[in-house]
Amino acid sequence: MAKSIVSTFLLIVFIHTTITQSFAQSRNTPLIVFVTGDHEYSGEHTLPLIAAELEKNYGFRTKVLKAYPDQNAEKDIPGLEALKDADLAVFYLRWRQLPKEQLDYIEAYLKTGKPVMGFRTTTHAFNYPKGSEFEKWNAFGEFALNAPPGWGGKAAHTHYGHESSTDVSIIPAAGKHPILTGVAPSFHVRSWLYRVLPDYPTKGSEWLLMGKSVHPDKAAIENPVAWTGTNSFGAKVFTTTLGHPEDFQVESFQRLVINAIHWELGKPVPKKWKGKIDINVPYRGMTK
C-alpha cells in the first residue's frame, strides 16, 4: 500500500514537472503570426507551408490567420487578437478594409516595436476610400515596411506587366548579410518586378536583392526586391516585393524567407539548411 502511494505521488510529481517544463518552454519559444488576405497570390496557402516548416525543423511556434470566408473577403480577418502574444508579425495583404476593432490589434502590435515582415502586395495592404477615418492605413507600406505608401499615387508604385518575370541578384554591398546566407548570387522568379524607386525603400533601409525585369511591358529600370530597416515605430523590418506562388518553389527564395525570420527574431541564421521545402501552390490570379 505504501509503495503504491509513493509511486502515485512520484507519478503526479513527474506529470506536474513535465507540464510545467513544457509550458515554460512554450512561453520561451517565439510565436510568429502570419496575417494573410491578398486576392491574387495565394498567400493563405504558401505561408502555412512556411509556418509548418518553421515548426517542424526550426523550433518556432506559428499561427496563420486568413481572410474570412475567403481571400477576396476584404473586411474580416478573424483571430487578430493573436498579435497580442506575437514575437513577429508577417503580413501578406492586399487592399483590405478591416473594421476598427481589427485594425486596433495591428496598431497595438506595431506600437510595441516588435519586428514586422511583409510580402509583395502588402505595400498596398489597405484601400480605404478617400475621407475615411481609416484612410491613413492606406500608407501601411510606408510606415510599417519602409515601402511605397500604397499603389500608384505620388510614388508611382507600379509593375512591369503580368507577362514579365524577374532576374534577382544579391547586391554586392549586402553580400555578407546573415539573411543572404545560402542564397544564390543570382536566381530567377516568376514575380513581375515592382517599381519602388526612386523614393523607396525609405532612407536608411539596407537593400539586399536587386531585380531586373525580363520581357517588361514598358521601359524598365532595376529595382530592389528585398530590404531591411527600421520602421517608423522603431521596429526591425524585412520586406520583399516578391511572393508569386511560384517564387516559393525556388530554393533561394525559401532560404531568404527562413533566414529573414530568424534574423528578425534575433536568432542565428541556421548553419545547416534543412532542405528544400515542398511548396507547389498554383497561381490563381484574380478570382471571384
Side-chain angles (χ1 to χ4, degrees), residues 42 48 167 176 194 254:
S42 300
D167 285 336
K176 293 185 179 179
Y194 274 9
Q254 294 178 3

Side-chain angles (χ1 to χ4, degrees), residues 235-257:
K236 291 170 72 175
V237 168
F238 171 80
T239 304
T240 178
T241 57
L242 307 180
H244 188 289
E246 291 179 22
D247 298 353
F248 283 90
Q249 298 174 19
V250 178
E251 193 164 4
S252 279
F253 184 68
Q254 294 178 3
R255 295 198 74 163
L256 178 78
V257 173

Side-chain angles (χ1 to χ4, degrees), residues 202-217:
T202 55
K203 187 177 180 180
S205 301
E206 181 177 4
W207 304 3
L208 302 181
L209 297 174
M210 188 64 75
K212 181 179 180 180
S213 185
V214 178
H215 303 307
D217 65 353

Side-chain angles (χ1 to χ4, degrees), residues 45-46 49-50 245 248-249 254 277-281:
H45 296 302
T46 52
L49 296 174
I50 294 292
F248 283 90
Q249 298 174 19
Q254 294 178 3
I277 309 165
D278 184 13
I279 299 178
N280 187 21
V281 175

Side-chain angles (χ1 to χ4, degrees), residues 173-185:
K176 293 185 179 179
H177 197 291
I179 289 178
L180 298 175
T181 302
V183 175

